[in-house]
Amino acid sequence: MDAVNDWLLTWGDHLWTWIILPVVVVLGLYFTVRSGVVQFRLIPEMFRTLTDKTPQTADGKPQSVSAFQAFTISAASRVGVGNIAGVGTAIAVGGPGAVFWMWVMGFVGGASSFIESSLAQLFKTRDRGSFRGGPAYYMQRGLGARWLGILFAVILITCFPFAFSSLQANTISATIGTTIGSSVDGDLPWLTWVIGVGLALLTGLVVFGGVRRIASVTQLLVPIMAIGYLVIGVIVVALHLDRIGPVFAEIFTSAWGFNEVVGATFGYIVLTGVKRGMFSNEAGLGSAPNAGASAAVTHPVKQGLVQTLGVYFDTFLVCTVTAFIILVSVPDLAGASRGIDLTQGALVDTLGGWSSVALSVIIFMLAFSSILGNYYYGESNLEFISTNPNLLMGYRALVVVAVLAGSVSAADVVWNFADGVMGLMALTNLVAIALLSGIAFRLLKDYTEQRRAGLDPVFTRGRLPDIRGIECWEDELTVTGPIDLPVRARQAAKHRDHLHDRR
């Protein structure tokens, strides 16, 4: 098993160093320049579209999940052990400088996230009273390459609902087991099985209820876990105010290989920051577009902006809080533990034993919501391959089994395997969105022109008549819903007046 683990680690490092890293950086910069730095320029629009009213059907029901619910589904997958255990590992092996490159990855990756989620909205399809879509769908509909979509779908199903969900379950089991074990002062070998069975049952109750139940659960869990974790982080930082300046200095100086405290070279610091950054915020990875496509919005760009905001929420808030919890509490990283142990130890050193219990609760909400988000990504891609209901039921059962297995298993091999599969998934998706990016830039131009005219942007496929493969977006009535037509009529009149004044 050690030989397999070493091979996976070496293979994954080579893949990321020589292929994934250059592609991620080059394409991220290209998207940034071509879009006019959309990830910064339209930040106000990101917050505005997050609370957009959901278009309704003729009988007054929402067409699908709202923009905010799609945001929480993607955040549920993004905000997980990567933000706590992943950041701890990045700092332990790459030093404080890895945090800087996570920030850079978050900003540059914001443009990639915008492109992929806008494309997912454009090429989405209707599915039992809601929408579904993602990279597999725009590979088939936009590129005409169903074989590539199937390849991507298989990679994603292997990576997210099975490998990553097993890791999330393992982290829940380890954290709760450590907390309870320390309180009773002894080993409880049966405890992991109890936790695993309970977690598997909870997962089954939600995933067998479909996307709307997943959306309702994540809509509740994500704000609670985010606020709770941020509050704890602020308390820790407030108790170490004298360390804030030195920590910022360490992050920026170590990022370039100067004064590195763990012996990491410049290249390894960058690689660690980019890899852990992508694992955490999923920008360009091809996972979040599956959630983005499920939303009912009036323009594809709206969900592109919302998902970019999700990258910032993950990187600049949650990951940064974890980094500061560690760096203000553990000035000397020599010999520091990796992963969740480093973060948990930093909290206990500052706040005492009660914080271990609080972290266990937060980890549960973080990781459980990630399991639900991962499940939805897998379901969307499974239905791309086949709509056989028996296959879907079997998939749901296997997800529950993977959660149970992850709770009671060692995680090293799965971590390294997941890193490698994540790299293949990112590479496949990035090539596809690079080829389709011209369409996304045209969508962005259409959106900004409508906003300049004072309109709430509405897209119909007649605006891109030369693009094939667009199933939805037939006309304004189906896009906005009948309830919004009077509002749209007033906006159209305003638009005509605007054009008349310009003449």
Side-chain angles (χ1 to χ4, degrees):
M1 187 61 71
D2 288 341
V4 173
N5 187 47
D6 291 341
W7 180 83
L8 287 172
L9 182 60
T10 302
W11 168 72
D13 279 347
H14 287 326
L15 177 66
W16 277 91
T17 302
W18 302 110
I19 301 178
I20 307 300
L21 180 60
V23 172
V24 167
V25 172
V26 171
L27 285 183
L29 292 175
Y30 170 72
F31 295 148
T32 297
V33 174
R34 277 292 309 274
S35 66
V37 198
V38 63
Q39 70 267 46
F40 177 76
R41 180 167 54 91
L42 294 187
I43 287 178
E45 286 291 294
M46 297 176 193
F47 288 97
R48 189 186 72 84
T49 57
L50 183 64
T51 56
D52 256 9
K53 184 178 180 181
T54 307
Q56 298 182 337
T57 60
D59 56 1
K61 296 180 180 179
Q63 292 183 9
S64 185
V65 299
S66 67
F68 178 73
Q69 286 176 320
F71 170 84
T72 61
I73 291 174
S74 61
S77 175
R78 284 189 177 109
V79 183
V81 298
N83 302 86
I84 299 178
V87 173
T89 297
I91 293 174
V93 303
V99 178
F100 173 82
W101 294 109
M102 290 181 70
W103 290 341
V104 172
M105 176 66 194
F107 180 75
V108 175
S112 301
S113 181
F114 170 81
I115 298 293
E116 63 182 1
S117 291
S118 296
L119 290 171
Q121 267 288 320
L122 180 66
F123 292 107
K124 67 186 179 182
T125 184
R126 289 187 173 85
D127 176 40
R128 299 189 300 272
S130 61
F131 299 109
R132 58 182 166 89
Y137 295 82
Y138 56 67
M139 289 172 189
Q140 174 179 321
R141 296 173 178 273
L143 295 176
R146 178 168 172 78
W147 67 270
L148 186 62
I150 291 176
L151 174 63
F152 178 87
V154 170
I155 295 173
L156 183 143
I157 292 169
T158 303
C159 187
F160 271 80
F162 295 136
F164 281 179
S165 289
S166 295
L167 292 172
Q168 305 286 356
N170 186 273
T171 303
I172 291 176
S173 179
T175 307
I176 295 177
T178 298
T179 301
I180 295 177
S182 63
S183 65
V184 300
D185 195 25
D187 293 331
L188 302 173
W190 48 266
L191 183 59
T192 55
W193 281 98
V194 173
I195 296 171
V197 170
L199 186 59
L201 288 174
L202 283 175
T203 302
L205 288 174
V206 178
V207 301
F208 279 91
V211 63
R212 291 185 185 273
R213 183 176 294 178
I214 293 171
S216 63
V217 172
T218 57
Q219 186 178 18
L220 175 66
L221 286 183
V222 170
I224 292 175
M225 69 185 181
I227 292 172
Y229 190 61
L230 292 174
V231 167
I232 289 178
V234 169
I235 293 173
V236 172
V237 173
L239 293 174
H240 296 87
L241 287 177
D242 58 315
R243 286 280 301 151
I244 295 179
V247 164
F248 269 112
E250 288 174 8
I251 289 173
F252 285 99
T253 57
S254 297
W256 309 99
F258 305 120
N259 302 321
E260 58 270 25
V261 296
V262 292
T265 62
F266 171 70
Y268 197 68
I269 293 171
V270 176
L271 178 63
T272 302
V274 171
K275 187 190 297 186
R276 289 301 126 214
M278 178 167 276
F279 174 72
S280 177
N281 62 45
E282 302 177 14
L285 185 56
S287 51
N290 294 277
S294 68
V297 293
T298 62
H299 200 289
V301 164
K302 289 186 175 183
Q303 195 56 212
L305 294 172
V306 167
Q307 294 303 326
T308 301
L309 184 63
V311 173
Y312 294 167
F313 170 77
D314 176 275
T315 304
F316 297 116
L317 275 179
V318 186
C319 286
T320 299
V321 164
T322 300
F324 272 79
I325 287 174
I326 294 169
L327 294 174
V328 300
S329 305
V330 188
D332 184 8
L333 291 171
S337 302
R338 298 186 181 187
I340 190 65
D341 290 339
L342 180 56
T343 309
Q344 195 167 19
L347 282 176
V348 172
D349 288 346
T350 300
L351 301 178
W354 71 267
S355 62
S356 180
V357 178
L359 183 64
S360 296
V361 175
I362 290 171
I363 283 287
F364 171 79
M365 290 192 290
L366 284 168
F368 183 64
S369 62
S370 289
I371 290 170
L372 300 183
N374 293 345
Y375 162 81
Y376 175 72
Y377 293 166
E379 178 184 293
S380 180
N381 283 269
L382 182 70
E383 292 188 341
F384 174 82
I385 299 172
S386 172
T387 56
N388 186 324
N390 293 326
L391 190 62
L392 178 60
M393 293 298 288
Y395 163 72
R396 288 172 173 169
L398 287 175
V399 168
V400 174
V401 171
V403 169
L404 175 59
S407 300
V408 299
S409 303
D412 285 349
V413 174
V414 184
W415 266 108
N416 292 327
F417 173 72
D419 268 347
V421 177
M422 179 178 69
L424 293 175
M425 181 175 156
L427 184 62
T428 307
N429 180 60
L430 288 168
V431 170
I433 64 174
L435 295 173
L436 293 170
S437 60
I439 299 174
F441 298 136
R442 292 173 63 184
L443 288 171
L444 176 59
K445 181 181 179 181
D446 178 70
Y447 180 89
T448 54
E449 286 178 349
Q450 291 191 53
R451 285 296 293 150
R452 289 194 191 103
L455 297 173
D456 181 14
V458 174
F459 175 81
T460 60
R461 59 194 183 196
R463 291 180 173 273
L464 295 179
D466 56 314
I467 303 301
R468 296 185 177 184
I470 303 176
E471 175 185 316
C472 304
W473 312 99
E474 296 92 336
D475 50 52
E476 289 199 12
L477 178 62
T478 57
V479 171
T480 64
I483 294 177
D484 288 334
L485 284 180
V487 175
R488 184 65 182 170
R490 290 195 296 271
Q491 290 181 340
K494 182 179 179 181
H495 181 40
R496 288 193 296 269
D497 294 340
H498 172 77
L499 293 177
H500 182 270
D501 292 341
R502 289 182 63 181
R503 295 193 187 99

